[in-house]
Amino acid sequence: MTDSGELSIERIRSAFVGRRFAYLESTDSTNDEAWCRIGEARSNGLVVLAEHQSKGRGRMGRSWQSPRGAGVLMSVLLLDAYDKWRGEELALLAAVAACDGVRTSTGVDPRIKWPNDLLVNGLKLGGILVESRIMQPGSRAYVIGIGINCLQPRGLFVGGLAESATSLDLESDRAIDRSAVVIEILRAMDQWLASDPRDAKPDLRDAWLSRCEPMGMRVRLRHRGSIYTGTMIDIDPRAALVLELDGGGRRAFEAADTTILDDEETGLLDRDSS
Ligand code: BTN
């Protein structure tokens, strides 16, 4: 099932009061575009949407590719004047909001693979890239980039992606309405961002844990060039993944320099909870 194609930027705009949107047919990366617009008036909360990116970025220096008009390619600029959020927390927040927004708008219920990949039936549906800059002491800016595969048909994922990626269209019986996906993700993000971070953070951690792949799953990961295997047991207050290591002991791994691996890069070994 497919929708008629283009995003309706008018519909998205009219769903929010006082929020600025930039809609582009093509750009290098919506994250870059958001950084370029940081000096504009009312840039806090600015949302950049594009139909195509020529240099879409993923985590850990990877690229993010999406055919023109097939995905949600979105970046949200956030000015955190009092340094209330950490980038890792915003990545969890965006993952939870993306899960909820996708479920509300399409009925598809993704799981989160630490730290912020969206999976459906073990296949990658979307990902999140949070970047930050210090504006002045005690004040940071963040760009929260969200990519969701929406209308890609099966044949479009080639090479390794054929076994590891999926799209909303492939996972749903319903026609996929990309504008509704954008609106519901932004609504879910705003609910978190509007609350006091001191209250929101414990709830956010619980929300993330209830949407993530189950703790107790065995994983293999790469951290600063070394490989570790173990059982996922928790995330700590810094959003680092805590493993019970196969060789004994517990260790927390921060997202910035850790990747969960597959056999060939997918990362999941088995679901042994012993
Ligand atoms: C990942 O899974 O590694 C994160 C992918 C993030 C992709 C999105 S698409 C919109 C935004 N602009 C980018 O260049 N990247 C993010």
PDB file of all heavy atoms in Angstrom, residues 114-132:
ATOM      1  N   TRP A 114      19.051  -0.590  21.259  1.00  0.00           N
ATOM      2  CA  TRP A 114      19.935   0.404  21.883  1.00  0.00           C
ATOM      3  C   TRP A 114      20.993   0.888  20.893  1.00  0.00           C
ATOM      4  O   TRP A 114      21.561   0.088  20.173  1.00  0.00           O
ATOM      5  CB  TRP A 114      20.623  -0.221  23.102  1.00  0.00           C
ATOM      6  CG  TRP A 114      21.516   0.758  23.809  1.00  0.00           C
ATOM      7  CD1 TRP A 114      21.162   1.646  24.772  1.00  0.00           C
ATOM      8  CD2 TRP A 114      22.923   0.936  23.596  1.00  0.00           C
ATOM      9  NE1 TRP A 114      22.259   2.377  25.164  1.00  0.00           N
ATOM     10  CE2 TRP A 114      23.351   1.958  24.448  1.00  0.00           C
ATOM     11  CE3 TRP A 114      23.862   0.329  22.730  1.00  0.00           C
ATOM     12  CZ2 TRP A 114      24.668   2.396  24.504  1.00  0.00           C
ATOM     13  CZ3 TRP A 114      25.178   0.767  22.778  1.00  0.00           C
ATOM     14  CH2 TRP A 114      25.564   1.787  23.662  1.00  0.00           C
ATOM     15  N   PRO A 115      21.265   2.211  20.862  1.00  0.00           N
ATOM     16  CA  PRO A 115      20.603   3.217  21.684  1.00  0.00           C
ATOM     17  C   PRO A 115      19.326   3.762  21.051  1.00  0.00           C
ATOM     18  O   PRO A 115      18.405   4.129  21.765  1.00  0.00           O
ATOM     19  CB  PRO A 115      21.652   4.329  21.794  1.00  0.00           C
ATOM     20  CG  PRO A 115      22.445   4.207  20.527  1.00  0.00           C
ATOM     21  CD  PRO A 115      22.442   2.744  20.153  1.00  0.00           C
ATOM     22  N   ASN A 116      19.279   3.834  19.724  1.00  0.00           N
ATOM     23  CA  ASN A 116      18.106   4.493  19.139  1.00  0.00           C
ATOM     24  C   ASN A 116      17.812   4.073  17.709  1.00  0.00           C
ATOM     25  O   ASN A 116      17.413   4.891  16.898  1.00  0.00           O
ATOM     26  CB  ASN A 116      18.230   6.020  19.244  1.00  0.00           C
ATOM     27  CG  ASN A 116      19.613   6.498  18.902  1.00  0.00           C
ATOM     28  OD1 ASN A 116      20.264   5.887  18.064  1.00  0.00           O
ATOM     29  ND2 ASN A 116      20.067   7.539  19.544  1.00  0.00           N
ATOM     30  N   ASP A 117      17.994   2.792  17.422  1.00  0.00           N
ATOM     31  CA  ASP A 117      17.504   2.255  16.145  1.00  0.00           C
ATOM     32  C   ASP A 117      16.071   1.799  16.331  1.00  0.00           C
ATOM     33  O   ASP A 117      15.736   1.226  17.365  1.00  0.00           O
ATOM     34  CB  ASP A 117      18.309   1.010  15.731  1.00  0.00           C
ATOM     35  CG  ASP A 117      19.635   1.370  15.114  1.00  0.00           C
ATOM     36  OD1 ASP A 117      19.886   2.567  14.892  1.00  0.00           O
ATOM     37  OD2 ASP A 117      20.424   0.443  14.855  1.00  0.00           O
ATOM     38  N   LEU A 118      15.252   2.015  15.312  1.00  0.00           N
ATOM     39  CA  LEU A 118      13.883   1.486  15.349  1.00  0.00           C
ATOM     40  C   LEU A 118      13.825   0.225  14.510  1.00  0.00           C
ATOM     41  O   LEU A 118      14.208   0.240  13.328  1.00  0.00           O
ATOM     42  CB  LEU A 118      12.913   2.519  14.763  1.00  0.00           C
ATOM     43  CG  LEU A 118      12.199   3.419  15.763  1.00  0.00           C
ATOM     44  CD1 LEU A 118      13.179   4.177  16.626  1.00  0.00           C
ATOM     45  CD2 LEU A 118      11.257   4.367  15.061  1.00  0.00           C
ATOM     46  N   LEU A 119      13.349  -0.861  15.109  1.00  0.00           N
ATOM     47  CA  LEU A 119      13.275  -2.138  14.407  1.00  0.00           C
ATOM     48  C   LEU A 119      11.834  -2.620  14.350  1.00  0.00           C
ATOM     49  O   LEU A 119      11.060  -2.390  15.277  1.00  0.00           O
ATOM     50  CB  LEU A 119      14.078  -3.228  15.127  1.00  0.00           C
ATOM     51  CG  LEU A 119      15.556  -3.030  15.422  1.00  0.00           C
ATOM     52  CD1 LEU A 119      16.132  -4.323  15.987  1.00  0.00           C
ATOM     53  CD2 LEU A 119      16.340  -2.601  14.201  1.00  0.00           C
ATOM     54  N   VAL A 120      11.514  -3.336  13.262  1.00  0.00           N
ATOM     55  CA  VAL A 120      10.246  -4.068  13.207  1.00  0.00           C
ATOM     56  C   VAL A 120      10.603  -5.487  12.803  1.00  0.00           C
ATOM     57  O   VAL A 120      11.274  -5.694  11.781  1.00  0.00           O
ATOM     58  CB  VAL A 120       9.268  -3.451  12.180  1.00  0.00           C
ATOM     59  CG1 VAL A 120       7.965  -4.244  12.163  1.00  0.00           C
ATOM     60  CG2 VAL A 120       8.981  -1.995  12.523  1.00  0.00           C
ATOM     61  N   ASN A 121      10.178  -6.441  13.602  1.00  0.00           N
ATOM     62  CA  ASN A 121      10.539  -7.844  13.362  1.00  0.00           C
ATOM     63  C   ASN A 121      12.036  -8.006  13.136  1.00  0.00           C
ATOM     64  O   ASN A 121      12.467  -8.748  12.264  1.00  0.00           O
ATOM     65  CB  ASN A 121       9.769  -8.396  12.155  1.00  0.00           C
ATOM     66  CG  ASN A 121       8.278  -8.380  12.398  1.00  0.00           C
ATOM     67  OD1 ASN A 121       7.833  -8.688  13.502  1.00  0.00           O
ATOM     68  ND2 ASN A 121       7.516  -7.975  11.392  1.00  0.00           N
ATOM     69  N   GLY A 122      12.824  -7.286  13.895  1.00  0.00           N
ATOM     70  CA  GLY A 122      14.278  -7.408  13.816  1.00  0.00           C
ATOM     71  C   GLY A 122      14.915  -6.655  12.647  1.00  0.00           C
ATOM     72  O   GLY A 122      16.129  -6.660  12.492  1.00  0.00           O
ATOM     73  N   LEU A 123      14.094  -6.001  11.820  1.00  0.00           N
ATOM     74  CA  LEU A 123      14.635  -5.278  10.657  1.00  0.00           C
ATOM     75  C   LEU A 123      14.604  -3.775  10.925  1.00  0.00           C
ATOM     76  O   LEU A 123      13.678  -3.263  11.557  1.00  0.00           O
ATOM     77  CB  LEU A 123      13.811  -5.592   9.404  1.00  0.00           C
ATOM     78  CG  LEU A 123      13.719  -7.069   9.032  1.00  0.00           C
ATOM     79  CD1 LEU A 123      12.777  -7.263   7.846  1.00  0.00           C
ATOM     80  CD2 LEU A 123      15.105  -7.626   8.699  1.00  0.00           C
ATOM     81  N   LYS A 124      15.607  -3.067  10.382  1.00  0.00           N
ATOM     82  CA  LYS A 124      15.730  -1.640  10.706  1.00  0.00           C
ATOM     83  C   LYS A 124      14.717  -0.800   9.928  1.00  0.00           C
ATOM     84  O   LYS A 124      14.713  -0.782   8.692  1.00  0.00           O
ATOM     85  CB  LYS A 124      17.158  -1.157  10.430  1.00  0.00           C
ATOM     86  CG  LYS A 124      17.358   0.297  10.806  1.00  0.00           C
ATOM     87  CD  LYS A 124      18.768   0.606  11.198  1.00  0.00           C
ATOM     88  CE  LYS A 124      18.974   2.095  11.373  1.00  0.00           C
ATOM     89  NZ  LYS A 124      20.236   2.438  11.987  1.00  0.00           N
ATOM     90  N   LEU A 125      13.906  -0.081  10.675  1.00  0.00           N
ATOM     91  CA  LEU A 125      12.902   0.815  10.095  1.00  0.00           C
ATOM     92  C   LEU A 125      13.394   2.255  10.104  1.00  0.00           C
ATOM     93  O   LEU A 125      13.050   3.047   9.225  1.00  0.00           O
ATOM     94  CB  LEU A 125      11.616   0.727  10.925  1.00  0.00           C
ATOM     95  CG  LEU A 125      10.485   1.632  10.476  1.00  0.00           C
ATOM     96  CD1 LEU A 125       9.784   1.029   9.257  1.00  0.00           C
ATOM     97  CD2 LEU A 125       9.474   1.858  11.584  1.00  0.00           C
ATOM     98  N   GLY A 126      14.174   2.601  11.107  1.00  0.00           N
ATOM     99  CA  GLY A 126      14.586   3.999  11.214  1.00  0.00           C
ATOM    100  C   GLY A 126      15.717   4.174  12.201  1.00  0.00           C
ATOM    101  O   GLY A 126      16.116   3.229  12.892  1.00  0.00           O
ATOM    102  N   GLY A 127      16.234   5.391  12.225  1.00  0.00           N
ATOM    103  CA  GLY A 127      17.339   5.676  13.137  1.00  0.00           C
ATOM    104  C   GLY A 127      17.353   7.148  13.504  1.00  0.00           C
ATOM    105  O   GLY A 127      16.652   7.973  12.896  1.00  0.00           O
ATOM    106  N   ILE A 128      18.142   7.439  14.508  1.00  0.00           N
ATOM    107  CA  ILE A 128      18.193   8.792  15.065  1.00  0.00           C
ATOM    108  C   ILE A 128      19.636   9.230  15.222  1.00  0.00           C
ATOM    109  O   ILE A 128      20.486   8.439  15.651  1.00  0.00           O
ATOM    110  CB  ILE A 128      17.441   8.809  16.420  1.00  0.00           C
ATOM    111  CG1 ILE A 128      15.931   8.784  16.120  1.00  0.00           C
ATOM    112  CG2 ILE A 128      17.770  10.035  17.246  1.00  0.00           C
ATOM    113  CD1 ILE A 128      15.137   7.980  17.019  1.00  0.00           C
ATOM    114  N   LEU A 129      19.896  10.461  14.857  1.00  0.00           N
ATOM    115  CA  LEU A 129      21.243  11.019  14.993  1.00  0.00           C
ATOM    116  C   LEU A 129      21.130  12.358  15.704  1.00  0.00           C
ATOM    117  O   LEU A 129      20.585  13.312  15.149  1.00  0.00           O
ATOM    118  CB  LEU A 129      21.866  11.223  13.606  1.00  0.00           C
ATOM    119  CG  LEU A 129      23.230  11.894  13.581  1.00  0.00           C
ATOM    120  CD1 LEU A 129      24.294  10.980  14.200  1.00  0.00           C
ATOM    121  CD2 LEU A 129      23.624  12.254  12.152  1.00  0.00           C
ATOM    122  N   VAL A 130      21.634  12.414  16.933  1.00  0.00           N
ATOM    123  CA  VAL A 130      21.595  13.666  17.700  1.00  0.00           C
ATOM    124  C   VAL A 130      22.987  14.287  17.683  1.00  0.00           C
ATOM    125  O   VAL A 130      23.975  13.618  17.991  1.00  0.00           O
ATOM    126  CB  VAL A 130      21.149  13.416  19.157  1.00  0.00           C
ATOM    127  CG1 VAL A 130      21.188  14.705  19.966  1.00  0.00           C
ATOM    128  CG2 VAL A 130      19.734  12.828  19.188  1.00  0.00           C
ATOM    129  N   GLU A 131      23.053  15.552  17.301  1.00  0.00           N
ATOM    130  CA  GLU A 131      24.330  16.279  17.292  1.00  0.00           C
ATOM    131  C   GLU A 131      24.201  17.491  18.215  1.00  0.00           C
ATOM    132  O   GLU A 131      23.100  18.033  18.374  1.00  0.00           O
ATOM    133  CB  GLU A 131      24.660  16.733  15.867  1.00  0.00           C
ATOM    134  CG  GLU A 131      24.834  15.547  14.934  1.00  0.00           C
ATOM    135  CD  GLU A 131      24.985  15.927  13.473  1.00  0.00           C
ATOM    136  OE1 GLU A 131      24.409  16.947  13.045  1.00  0.00           O
ATOM    137  OE2 GLU A 131      25.652  15.187  12.757  1.00  0.00           O
ATOM    138  N   SER A 132      25.333  17.903  18.820  1.00  0.00           N
ATOM    139  CA  SER A 132      25.239  19.041  19.742  1.00  0.00           C
ATOM    140  C   SER A 132      26.394  20.007  19.540  1.00  0.00           C
ATOM    141  O   SER A 132      27.457  19.630  19.046  1.00  0.00           O
ATOM    142  CB  SER A 132      25.227  18.545  21.190  1.00  0.00           C
ATOM    143  OG  SER A 132      26.514  18.177  21.601  1.00  0.00           O
TER     144      SER A 132
END
